Amino acid sequence: NAGVTQTPKFQVLKTGQSMTLQCAQDMNHEYMSWYRQDPGMGLRLIHYSVGAGITDQGEVPNGYNVSRSTTEDFPLRLLSAAPSQTSVYFCASSYSGWETQYFGPGTRLLVL
Amino acid sequence: KQEVTQIPAALSVPEGENLVLNCSFTDSAIYNLQWFRQDPGKGLTSLLLIQSSQREQTSGRLNASLDKSSGRSTLYIAASQPGDSATYLCAVFDGSSNTGKLIFGQGTTLQVKP
């Protein structure tokens, strides 16, 4: 199993650009989520999904969109990047959301 | 609102010492609690999951305990090694929501000196 994979590892964007952060898992997990990690703020939940076709907002959803068309993939879209979105983004998955959660290696995003 | 605190923020010990990392949470209505390890510039590696009905969980040199009534969890590392140097994060599953949301502490950065 590759576990949870994320691409790209690092990205530089200009303000106003859009991009998609990719996340995939091969463990047949129903639950997937996105977190951002910022110094002094810790990790905060952006969006989550309890299964294909079902998504919902977390703690800090503004400026981000998600969709879940397959069990395996859960992409995170930045609609119009802002410097405040400079962060490290982690994708996580688990069977139901209440069991052990497995995190990907992260995507470092710098918005200039 | 659930808050998770980890003390100390940083810890430096000589190799071979047994050590305890602390995690406290303000609302005892948690579902489960998970301990992670994060190496610099890397993702989070799951160490242990303690279910709300459990008191402790062990994996190798690691032992995690949970006391919901007092809002505390501890991670005990036996016979520490330089390879244990990392940031350790405690996260509670938010029992007040149906989201599987994890609420993280700020972490304890551990340095084990050879």
Side-chain angles (χ1 to χ4, degrees):
Chain A
N1 284 347
V4 180
T5 58
Q6 293 183 238
T7 57
K9 291 184 179 180
F10 180 69
Q11 184 72 45
V12 180
L13 290 179
K14 295 181 179 179
T15 297
Q17 287 185 318
S18 62
M19 79 161 294
T20 299
L21 281 65
Q22 301 291 343
C23 173
Q25 51 88 14
D26 61 358
M27 298 175 280
N28 201 31
H29 286 169
E30 290 294 329
Y31 183 90
M32 297 184 74
S33 58
W34 278 100
Y35 287 83
R36 60 178 289 174
Q37 185 176 36
D38 303 290
M41 301 294 292
L43 286 110
R44 292 176 292 169
L45 181 66
I46 304 172
H47 284 286
Y48 66 97
S49 168
V50 297
I54 306 169
T55 64
D56 208 341
Q57 297 180 352
E59 185 181 356
V60 286
N62 292 342
Y64 307 95
N65 270 358
V66 292
S67 60
R68 184 96 178 270
S69 57
T70 67
T71 299
E72 294 78 20
D73 301 297
F74 190 43
L76 178 72
R77 297 182 185 84
L78 278 70
L79 309 174
S80 177
S84 61
Q85 294 178 304
T86 293
S87 186
V88 182
Y89 292 85
F90 291 102
C91 178
S93 75
S94 69
Y95 281 110
S96 68
W98 301 109
E99 291 136 356
T100 299
Q101 297 209 14
Y102 298 91
F103 280 70
T107 293
R108 293 182 175 275
L109 177 67
L110 175 62
V111 183
L112 301 175
Chain B
K1 179 184 175 184
Q2 178 75 269
E3 293 182 359
V4 180
T5 303
Q6 292 185 247
I7 295 173
L11 183 62
S12 181
V13 301
E15 182 177 5
E17 266 202 15
N18 302 324
L19 57 101
V20 174
L21 305 181
N22 297 297
C23 172
S24 62
F25 44 94
T26 55
D27 187 345
S28 62
I30 65 168
Y31 192 78
N32 295 330
L33 184 146
Q34 192 167 355
W35 282 92
F36 296 89
R37 167 187 175 138
Q38 186 174 28
D39 293 286
K42 303 294 185 182
L44 280 68
T45 300
S46 177
L47 297 174
L48 289 164
L49 174 81
I50 307 180
Q51 296 181 350
S52 61
S53 58
Q54 295 178 314
R55 297 282 292 181
E56 64 179 62
Q57 191 70 255
T58 298
S59 176
R61 293 184 294 110
L62 305 179
N63 177 279
S65 68
L66 175 63
D67 185 343
K68 284 180 60 177
S69 61
S70 66
R72 293 180 184 177
S73 176
T74 61
L75 180 66
Y76 175 82
I77 303 177
S80 58
Q81 303 170 356
D84 294 330
S85 298
T87 296
Y88 291 80
L89 295 163
C90 163
V92 302
F93 288 69
D94 187 5
S96 66
S97 69
N98 193 31
T99 64
K101 174 183 175 181
L102 290 174
I103 300 173
F104 285 85
Q106 295 289 330
T108 294
T109 299
L110 173 65
Q111 181 183 33
V112 181
K113 297 181 179 179

